[in-house]
Structures are given as structure tokens and as C-alpha cells.
Amino acid sequence: MNKIFEVPLYAYERSPDQDASSPVRHKVIVIGAGPIGLAAAIDLAQQGIEVVVLDDNDKVSFGSRAVCYAKRPLEILDRLGCGQPMVDKGVEWNLGKVFFDDRQVYDFNLLPEGGHQRPAFINLQQYYFEEYLVNRVRELQEAGAPIEIRGRNKVEAIGTHPDHVKLEVETPEGSYTVEADWLIACDGAGSPVRSMLGLDFVGRVFEDNFLIADVIMDAGFPTERWFWFDPPFNRGQSALLHKQPDNVWRIDLQLGWDIDKEREKRPENVIPRLKAMLGEDVQFELEWVSIYTFQCRRMEKFRHGRVLFAGDAAHQVSPFGARGANSGLQDTDNLIWKLKLVMEGKAPESLLDSYDMERIHGADENILNSSRSTDFITPKSEMSRILRDAVLDLSEQYEFARPLVNSGRLSVPCTYDGSPLNSADALLDGPARTRPGSPCPDAPLDEGFLLPKLGDRFILLTIDADAPDLIEEDGIEVTRLALSVKDDPTLELKRRYLGDNDSAVYLIRPDQHVAARRPNYDENQFRHAIRRATGKE
Amino acid sequence: MSDLILTPNINGADDFYAELLAAHEGLDKAQSDALNARLVLVLANQIGDRAILTQAIQAAALKE
Ligand SMILES: Cc1cc2nc3c(=O)[nH]c(=O)nc-3n(C[C@H](O)[C@H](O)[C@H](O)COP(=O)(O)OP(=O)(O)OC[C@H]3O[C@@H](n4cnc5c(N)ncnc54)[C@H](O)[C@@H]3O)c2cc1C
């Protein structure tokens, strides 16, 4: 059987645009049908905005690449209609083991917080993720949504204008010109769009190579994450073993800087390394092998007029902590509602600058966390290695040292503290995790969960407080979601949204981030908050 | 906010110093470096207070 990543999922088809006498103008063009481009397009189409996705390929990601998907991206995918297949297929895990030298130094249970519909994270091959996104595109198309993917459409040149963007696209049948009011560049870490526009991409390259292998085996390894520092089978380096569905295991082996990549990738060199790690008699089959050098860098700005960068095209992180795809999804989650309001003339174009500001904040947080993990895993000076080894040695005997062990931190969404879209926090002693700028934490209700009731539009969440069912402020509609602590069997809603207050009113953005909160409804204040949250104040 | 103590605070300073040297006796450079690193981490955990730790790192850097 062919692997899903070997089957063309969006084969080239001739588009009428290629035969048009003058270039056809689309509302939005997305470049790149990777996970981020597809998510952007689905979000737009769900909201009725016409979108065309161009990709130079016609298949999902070759090999697995991203493996871990955290809770927040799963919640975003729920809103995009693809969360369930991810969770159904994905592997959940809570137990991890840390090895140093020839011994296990400790194990841990993540003990995820309860009261969320989605798990803390799942493991799943990237090709499945992309397949589910493509399935969702097909489902939307069947329902008549204005979305199209054009395979083997390679963008070769770009011209930017004050009110549109013009593209030269190469296809198997020659090239054509096409235009868009807005362009979203999701063309990956090597982003040709970025180069065509002569834009920077600065940061740090980690002078190290990692062999990433996905192997299929029936081994009785438990569903746990195993991380080795300086193991006998990979001296001076690190190793990771992680489970994916279908008995596929992800193995990362650090190789160091001075290696011959082509040589190391050959099965005759990979297999002995894996045998040394897994045991001589373990049967396995190689699904995918690749060698990476990791980098942490980002563009200086994500918005360039009518061109918006998202995902790896805008920022790249080392994979420790699983932040690439996870943070890219938070980019489009942040961007699409803003773009929609701007396109509909309901918000000023400057609202898009808050995309830049908020997501750069997010990218910097991710780069910081990934850099710290990488520095721990691959110490670059003698003293950083001495300290790292001291932490590991202590962690075997003393619990205190374990939080210092950093083999990748869980990806958590960032809070947009200081965003110009936030209104000052007016809920005295309200829980810190729901202060303005925060992503709304989920909470169980009598029926279902909180998050599925939010999203796609502005919501006024009232908890034991009065307010109108609908507010309209300068074209922005805000619908009320009225809840009570009586609908809150576990008291998590109270804990996460009220604290010691008896009531609260939250203005929640379409990306489920808090824009404003107060103990009670105050019309004037909330009208201001709506204006602020849409870039009008 | 509390401040890093930079005045004498160890009872029996000579004793303590001798104990520290004794712990390094017979160790080679790598073992001694490792011991020092572990000791720093153990002490840092005992202090715990992030602000004090920052002051301690700055004080040790002798960069006033
Ligand atoms: C080994 C490894 C492990 C990882 N693990 C994780 C993880 O556990 N969790 C996580 O969240 N992330 C992880 N990542 C990162 C994740 O894979 C990326 O962040 C993610 O794929 C980025 O998606 P994207 O859509 O921005 O870009 P891409 O997936 O790179 O997609 C870009 C698309 O643009 C297309 N394109 C490029 N140029 C053109 C052009 N000129 N014209 C038309 N189309 C073009 C390409 O064909 C491609 O389809 C990992 C990455 C690696 C390498």
C-alpha cells in the first residue's frame, strides 16, 4: 500500500484563470498547502471569504515531521472542524522517562489539569494532520464554500501594489498571472515569497545535526516519552523515543556538527545506530529518515502591506517543545478574524498591525523556550555541559533538580499582555489566567464544554450578570453567552473566570482571547472595549 | 524585598572553608568542577528567592 504522503491529494488541474484574457483577481490567495496555509484557508472559507491555495506540490508533508500537538491548537482545530479526527487518531501520553548515561534518572507523570475537553497534547504524524485538513477542505467545497487548492502551482514572482498583489504562477502547462486583494504567505521556512520580497529572516543556527527517523515496530515499548542524555549508544549526544499511531515510533538522534549528512542518512548507517538504541533483536522497518539542523529565527515584521506571513515562513523554532505547527495555528487563528473585519470594512487596516505585534510576541516566547531547551540538550560550552550534567546527576536523587531538566517544554499559548487590543483589567482579583490578552481556558459545563460555545465571532460572556443579548458597535456584533455558576458542576468556571468575585462579564475575541473583563455589564465601557479590540481606539 | 547578604553570615567560617576544601580533596579537575556545579545548584534551591539569586549571580560576577 502507498503511504498517504506518496499519494497526490490535490493533483494539478487546469484552472479557468490560466485561460483568462486578463488576470483574475481573487479575494485572498494563500501560498502553501502545509498545515498553516490549509488552516488559514479553512478559516476564511468557513466565514464565507473566497480563497485560493497555491502549492508547488500535490501531496501532504513527506514523512512525519511534526509529531506533538498541544491542547490549544487542538481547540483551534475544533473551531476549524478537524479537531475530532486528530484526537481520535492521535496517541495520548502522560508518562515520561529521563535517562542519563547508562541509567534512568527519573520518570514523571504530566498529570494534566482536568476540566478541559481536549488532552494536554497528542502525538500524530504530520501527514495525517494535513490529510484531515485536506478532507475538511473537500467537505467545505461540497457544502459550496468558496475554497480551492491548486496543486503543482508554483509561485515564481510577486508584485506588490497598494491595493492588491500580483503573482506569476508556474504549472505543468506553463505559467499564468493571477491577482489577490490579500496574500497570506505560508510557504514554509525556506519561504520563496520572503526572498522574492527581499525580506530578512534573522536568528540563531544551532551548530548541530539531528537524525530524525520514523520506524515501524511491534515492540512492546510503552506509550511514554523517553529522553536520553549522553547514552552509551550515542556518546556525548542525546536521543528521543516517542510513540505515534500505527506502531510508528519517532526517534531523534543528535549527531553533532561535523558529519556527512548524505552518508548518515543511508539505511546501512542508520540501521546500526537504531539497533544500538533499540536492542539488536528488535524488528523494525524504516518509514522515513531525515537530517536536520535546527534554527530559531523570525522575520522582523509579519505584515508587509497586503502580504501577511504566517507559520514557518514567518518564524522558525527548533522542534524541542513542539512549537512549529502549534504556533503557526495560533498565527492564523489570530489573523483571519482581523482580515475578515478589514475586508468587510468593519475595522481599519491598522487592525492587521496588531497581528504583527501579537504574533511576534508569541514567536519570541516560542523562540526563547525552544532556545533554552536546545541549550540544555546540546550544551555549547564546557561549563554549560558541567552544569547540565550536574542537574541530571542531582535529579536522580533529589526532586528539586527535576524542574531544571529541560528536554523540551510543553507548548502553551501565549497571553497577549500589553496588546493595544486589550482593555485594562477591571475585574478586581480576577484569576490571572483569564486576564485581558489570555486565551480562554476551557471549562466543563452541565452540557458540554465552554470553548465550543465561543469562537468565530465576538462574545460577551456573562457569569451571573445581566447584559443585553446583542450589542452592535460600529458594525461589530457581539452576542451574549449567559452562564451561571449553577451550570458549573465542577466549579472550574468559577475558579478560572471568577475567582472570589460573584459575577463577571468578559468580552471575548473571535480567536477566544479575552479582550476585556469587569465584574458587571457597563454599556459605555464595553462599547469602548469593542472599539479597542477592533483597532478603533 | 529582601536583599542578598554580603556581610559575614557564616558561623565558624574557617570550619566551613576547610570542609569545602576537604570535599574536593582527591578529586581531579573534572570531578571538582562537577562537585562545584552541584553545590551551586543545591544552594540555589535552598535560597529559592529569584530576586536574591539574581543579586547573587551579579555579586559573584564582581562587576560592580
Ligand atoms: C523533525 C521535525 C519535527 C517537528 N516536530 C514538531 C512538533 O512536534 N510539533 C509542531 O508543532 N511542529 C513540529 N515541527 C514543525 C512543523 O513541521 C512546521 O512548523 C510546520 O510544518 C509548518 O507548517 P507551514 O504550513 O508553515 O509550512 P510547511 O509545512 O513547510 O508548508 C509550506 C508549503 O509551501 C509550499 N511552497 C513552498 N514554496 C512554494 C511556492 N513557491 N509556491 C507554492 N507553494 C510553495 C510547500 O510545498 C509546502 O507545502 C517539526 C519539524 C521538523 C522538521
Side-chain angles (χ1 to χ4, degrees), chain A residues 56-252:
Chain A
D56 61 353
N57 204 324
D58 53 9
K59 303 180 189 73
V60 293
S61 170
F62 181 72
S64 172
R65 294 166 76 202
V67 168
C68 296
Y69 300 93
K71 174 163 54 220
R72 182 62 201 149
L74 292 173
E75 291 164 354
I76 294 170
L77 290 167
D78 274 336
R79 192 171 63 71
L80 300 182
C82 350
Q84 199 55 46
M86 298 279 294
V87 175
D88 288 345
K89 179 78 188 176
V91 173
E92 275 179 52
W93 65 274
N94 288 317
L95 283 174
K97 286 187 178 146
V98 177
F99 301 85
F100 180 37
D101 197 348
D102 56 356
R103 62 203 198 275
Q104 178 182 329
V105 282
Y106 69 96
D107 56 22
F108 59 90
N109 187 328
L110 292 171
L111 294 173
E113 183 186 58
H116 295 261
Q117 183 171 21
R118 292 309 181 197
F121 51 89
I122 59 163
N123 284 2
L124 183 72
Q125 292 89 322
Q126 182 160 334
Y127 49 79
Y128 280 127
F129 174 23
E130 293 185 25
E131 184 192 2
Y132 300 149
L133 289 164
V134 173
N135 291 346
R136 176 64 181 151
V137 170
R138 300 295 177 226
E139 199 178 281
L140 285 164
Q141 283 173 327
E142 267 160 42
I147 181 171
E148 195 189 324
I149 315 182
R150 295 186 190 166
R152 301 184 66 192
N153 271 241
K154 183 175 184 191
V155 177
E156 291 278 12
I158 168 169
T160 53
H161 303 270
D163 66 342
H164 73 282
V165 177
K166 197 174 194 153
L167 303 174
E168 273 301 311
V169 184
E170 184 65 38
T171 75
E173 298 180 304
S175 65
Y176 68 103
T177 306
V178 64
E179 295 178 350
D181 289 346
W182 295 92
L183 182 74
I184 308 182
C186 304
D187 50 346
S191 176
V193 174
R194 211 174 50 217
S195 319
M196 287 174 215
L197 295 178
L199 298 168
D200 55 6
F201 200 44
V202 285
R204 199 172 146 199
V205 180
F206 292 92
E207 295 198 342
D208 221 318
N209 290 288
F210 285 81
L211 176 80
I212 314 284
D214 280 338
V215 304
I216 306 167
M217 58 178 177
D218 292 319
F221 288 117
T223 305
E224 298 173 356
R225 179 186 197 262
W226 290 8
F227 201 98
W228 288 263
F229 293 96
D230 196 8
F233 58 83
N234 198 24
R235 265 300 163 213
Q237 314 284 6
S238 66
L240 171 70
L241 179 70
H242 221 182
K243 181 155 200 234
Q244 305 172 65
D246 305 338
N247 287 324
V248 174
W249 299 80
R250 162 61 53 87
I251 293 168
D252 289 16

Side-chain angles (χ1 to χ4, degrees), chain A residues 386-387 390-391 394 400 404, chain B residues 33-34 37-38 41-42 45:
Chain A
I386 290 171
L387 284 165
V391 167
L394 289 166
F400 89 82
L404 297 171
Chain B
D33 282 348
R38 290 195 298 270
L41 294 165
V42 168
N45 186 64

